[in-house]
Amino acid sequence: MWFALSHETELLHILEVHRRDLSETELRLIGWTLNQMLTDRSKTFDGMSESERYARELGGWIDEQLDAGDPKLLLPDRFVSRGRLFSSMIPFLLVSEQPEPGGSHFGELEKLLRTFLAEEVLIIPLKEQEWLILGPASLIHDAQSGERDEEEDESLEESLSSIASGLHEMLSSEWMGGECHLAVSHPISPANSIVGTTALLRETVHLGRAFHLGSNIHLPWMLHLERLLNTIPEAHRIKFVEQALKRTDAFLDPEILTTLETFFALDCNVSETAKKLYIHRNTLLYRLDKLKQETELDVRQFRDAVLVKIILLLYKVTKRA
């Protein structure tokens, strides 16, 4: 009798036991254990469609790789035999705030996504309340139709952001999963990079929820600074914020916070910020001048703007620590 102990890439470690060395009680115990494993496995996928069974097995494999110290990056043959995972697809990560009761969300979610995205969409359940969604790359062409002609990289990311926004709006109004977060990345060939992309999207949702409370759509190319700040030990972040706020609490004024966040979101454009805030341009300049007087930081200067941006980002995460 052979018992699998562990495996390393293509090397399998086994324990060989001769039947004559086992007692009748031990043999019955082994048989009972094997029967229970087979029964539990059949119960796990009982009543599921073939597509859901495949998706859940694939999701389980992805989770195993992400939890492993040395993950496999290429999909096993049993998952890519259908061929569709070699096509270019858009990866989304959907995270629900509410638990999934008895797995009932899968069928409902699949129906909604196939209506909104395309019939060939693939939904892969990962951990509880988390789904990896693979949509056809043709969605980008559809989103770009009618848009102004811009540089390819910019229009690609704008199109992905537009698709994610529309998808989140649909889920918010029609899905029973409740409040949710959505991340999207550039198109991939799932057979070659599904594990790494899932890790990136998970990190993106984590950073978005930590640094941008209230935002539900998270884009990895917009979180480079947040990713860097997240690597700083928590004690150092707290100390930095305490030192920055020791001089003044001007940053904590709700009006100033809203003004600065809008100012940075609009690339430090004074006219556009004033328009967005529905205030006169001179009113905005007055606020910025007042902030400069109280903090000695002028956000119209690049160096000071970067410093204030870092202070605000770190304040958001340290105040909840």
Side-chain angles (χ1 to χ4, degrees):
M1 305 181 88
W2 288 357
F3 297 88
L5 300 180
S6 63
H7 67 88
E8 300 173 4
T9 313
E10 298 180 356
L11 182 63
L12 178 66
H13 298 271
I14 65 169
L15 173 66
E16 184 180 73
V17 180
H18 292 285
R19 182 185 178 90
R20 64 176 180 270
D21 296 330
L22 298 173
S23 68
E24 286 302 316
T25 300
E26 289 171 331
L27 286 172
R28 286 197 299 269
L29 180 59
I30 292 172
W32 178 84
T33 302
L34 292 174
N35 283 330
Q36 285 297 113
M37 291 172 63
L38 292 172
T39 301
D40 291 343
R41 180 174 177 82
S42 64
K43 286 181 179 178
T44 300
F45 299 111
D46 185 37
M48 291 184 183
S49 65
E50 179 63 26
S51 62
E52 182 174 356
R53 184 181 297 111
Y54 168 80
R56 290 192 179 277
E57 289 182 347
L58 176 54
W61 181 86
I62 294 173
D63 273 331
E64 288 178 4
Q65 304 314 308
L66 292 174
D67 292 338
D70 184 21
K72 296 179 181 178
L73 300 181
L74 299 180
L75 283 174
D77 291 341
R78 69 180 186 275
F79 291 124
V80 298
S81 58
R82 302 185 183 188
R84 62 189 299 190
L85 295 182
F86 284 105
S87 303
S88 179
M89 305 187 81
I90 305 173
F92 303 86
L93 185 67
L94 172 64
V95 180
S96 173
E97 295 283 2
Q98 298 180 6
E100 181 185 11
S104 61
H105 284 174
F106 184 90
E108 173 199 350
L109 183 60
E110 184 179 45
K111 183 178 179 180
L112 282 174
L113 292 176
R114 286 186 172 179
T115 301
F116 183 83
L117 296 176
E119 279 294 320
E120 58 266 35
V121 69
L122 179 60
I123 308 163
I124 305 172
L126 298 171
K127 295 188 183 298
E128 186 179 4
Q129 303 166 235
E130 184 182 61
W131 293 266
L132 178 65
I133 302 168
L134 298 175
S138 59
L139 292 169
I140 297 174
H141 179 267
D142 296 338
Q144 290 175 337
S145 300
E147 290 185 357
R148 62 187 184 281
D149 186 23
E150 295 184 354
E151 295 181 7
E152 183 176 352
D153 289 344
E154 293 179 347
S155 69
L156 170 62
E157 292 175 350
E158 287 177 358
S159 297
L160 291 172
S161 177
S162 175
I163 295 170
S165 297
L167 178 56
H168 182 267
E169 182 178 350
M170 182 275 292
L171 291 171
S172 298
S173 61
E174 300 186 32
W175 187 43
M176 299 300 292
E179 184 74 11
C180 62
H181 293 264
L182 191 68
V184 63
S185 186
H186 295 89
I188 63 168
S189 172
N192 301 319
S193 54
I194 196 170
V195 175
T197 299
T198 303
L200 171 65
L201 292 175
R202 275 185 175 173
E203 180 192 37
T204 299
V205 172
H206 169 73
L207 293 174
R209 296 174 77 172
F211 287 94
H212 299 284
L213 192 65
S215 177
N216 295 85
I217 300 173
H218 313 291
L219 310 172
W221 55 86
M222 297 295 291
L223 297 171
H224 296 306
L225 181 57
E226 289 84 345
R227 184 172 293 108
L228 176 63
L229 296 178
N230 194 55
T231 62
I232 302 174
E234 183 177 333
H236 293 176
R237 292 187 300 195
I238 294 175
K239 183 178 180 180
F240 178 84
V241 172
E242 287 177 346
Q243 292 176 341
L245 298 181
K246 188 177 296 184
R247 294 186 298 171
T248 175
D249 59 357
F251 296 116
L252 308 185
D253 179 81
E255 184 179 79
I256 291 296
L257 278 173
T258 301
T259 299
L260 290 175
E261 289 179 352
T262 306
F263 185 65
F264 292 138
L266 295 173
D267 297 325
C268 302
N269 186 302
V270 173
S271 299
E272 291 298 321
T273 302
K275 186 184 302 183
K276 182 73 173 181
L277 293 174
Y278 300 102
I279 61 176
H280 193 277
R281 190 174 188 274
N282 289 341
T283 302
L284 174 60
L285 293 176
Y286 170 78
R287 292 182 186 177
L288 298 182
D289 286 336
K290 181 181 179 182
L291 182 67
K292 179 182 177 181
Q293 294 175 359
E294 296 183 4
T295 66
E296 299 180 357
L297 295 172
D298 186 356
V299 293
R300 288 163 291 188
Q301 302 296 320
F302 175 77
R303 180 177 177 178
D304 290 350
V306 171
L307 181 56
V308 173
K309 176 69 174 178
I310 291 174
I311 291 172
L312 293 182
L313 285 174
L314 291 181
Y315 172 69
K316 290 179 182 180
V317 289
T318 56
K319 72 176 182 180
R320 298 194 298 271

